């Protein structure tokens, strides 16, 4: 009985070793990249582009979330344009 435990442990050890070897073979084909940069330097944009190019793109839920972000960014940009136009107009009026 004592010997069967040793054999089982040995088989379990072999299975674990084989699993580790398989994982190492798979990992040889994976490349990990550390992307460093300051805020707004394009790190997220790069990751999104890689996802579009090398994966199947975005899920419908991700598309919905990006749509909301794009609409918000559009309104913020339009608001900033109006503010800057008003500042320019008041600056030009004061110069005359």
């Amino acid at each position: 009985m004592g010997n069967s435990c040793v054999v089982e442990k040995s088989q379990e050890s072999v299975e674990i070793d084989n699993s580790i070897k398989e994982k190492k073979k798979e990992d040889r084909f994976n490349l990990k990249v550390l992307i460093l940069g300051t805020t707004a330097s394009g790190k997220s944009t790069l990751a999104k582009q890689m996802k579009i190019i090398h994966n199947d793109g975005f899920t419908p839920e991700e598309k919905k979330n990006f749509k909301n972000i794009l609409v918000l960014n559009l309104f913020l940009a339009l608001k900033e344009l109006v503010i800057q136009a008003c500042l320019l107009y008041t600056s030009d009026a004061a110069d005359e």
Side-chain angles (χ1 to χ4, degrees):
M1 240 184 167
N3 289 341
S4 65
C5 289
V6 172
V7 171
E8 287 178 28
K9 185 67 172 174
S10 177
Q11 289 173 347
E12 183 180 355
S13 178
V14 169
E15 289 175 10
I16 292 171
D17 290 342
N18 288 338
S19 174
I20 292 171
K21 286 178 186 177
E22 287 297 318
K23 182 67 176 161
K24 283 184 179 180
K25 284 180 185 177
E26 291 173 11
D27 285 345
R28 281 191 299 169
F29 299 105
N30 291 332
L31 178 66
K32 295 180 183 180
V33 178
L34 175 62
I35 303 172
L36 300 174
T38 61
T39 304
S41 64
K43 299 178 300 289
S44 296
T45 303
L46 177 65
K48 291 172 190 171
Q49 289 173 347
M50 296 299 285
K51 183 174 182 179
I52 291 170
I53 293 169
H54 297 289
N55 290 348
D56 294 330
F58 299 110
T59 65
E61 184 177 331
E62 288 173 322
K63 288 178 184 178
K64 181 181 174 187
N65 289 335
F66 287 134
K67 179 182 174 187
N68 293 336
I69 293 169
L70 287 172
V71 169
L72 178 63
N73 285 344
L74 176 67
F75 283 117
L76 290 174
L78 287 173
K79 178 182 173 185
E80 187 63 28
L81 280 172
V82 170
I83 290 170
Q84 293 302 319
C86 289
L87 290 173
L88 181 63
Y89 177 73
T90 55
S91 173
D92 285 346
D95 289 342
E96 290 178 0

